[in-house]
Amino acid sequence: TPLFVLNQAKSFPERVAVRKIVLNSCFMKQLQVAIKSKEIAPINEINLMLNIVSLSIFPCIARPIFQSGEGALTQERFVELMHERKKLIPKWIKAIMQKK
């Protein structure tokens, strides 16, 4: 679960080599090439990854907030929103990277 992963990363940062893996990934290499060739706007790679991770993980962490109290989301509605989000996140990331 996202909470487990976050807890492990906080408790044992040396075990979670995500930064090294991400920075050496094919995605990052493609991103750097796209920036150099001016296909996309310059963006700090770490900020981009923070945005992707935040957009992906935060809804799972915040689920209890949205599923409690007056006007709470049902489990079915939450799942619906997550399916919608799977389509929206790539659009949001593309918008962030568009040339100005």
Side-chain angles (χ1 to χ4, degrees):
T1 69
L3 289 176
F4 174 77
V5 172
L6 290 174
N7 188 43
Q8 291 297 301
K10 183 178 177 186
S11 300
F12 308 102
E14 69 282 355
R15 290 187 193 170
V16 184
V18 173
R19 185 173 187 274
K20 184 177 179 182
I21 292 168
V22 168
L23 291 178
N24 293 321
S25 70
C26 183
F27 174 75
M28 282 299 163
K29 290 174 184 156
Q30 291 172 334
L31 180 66
Q32 291 164 354
V33 167
I35 290 170
K36 283 182 185 176
S37 67
K38 300 187 184 204
E39 286 179 56
I40 63 172
I43 186 169
N44 180 291
E45 296 94 345
I46 301 300
N47 273 328
L48 179 62
M49 290 309 300
L50 283 170
N51 281 329
I52 293 170
V53 169
S54 299
L55 288 166
S56 304
I57 293 177
F58 186 76
C60 298
I61 295 168
R63 180 192 310 206
I65 296 168
F66 291 98
Q67 289 189 317
S68 62
E70 190 175 329
L73 291 175
T74 63
Q75 178 64 18
E76 294 78 22
R77 181 66 180 127
F78 185 82
V79 169
E80 228 176 76
L81 286 169
M82 294 307 101
H83 285 293
E84 181 181 350
R85 195 170 182 83
K86 283 171 66 174
K87 296 174 188 169
L88 291 172
I89 290 173
K91 292 177 183 179
W92 295 334
I93 296 301
K94 285 179 187 175
I96 289 170
M97 296 187 312
Q98 281 186 348
K99 289 196 302 187
K100 305 272 188 243

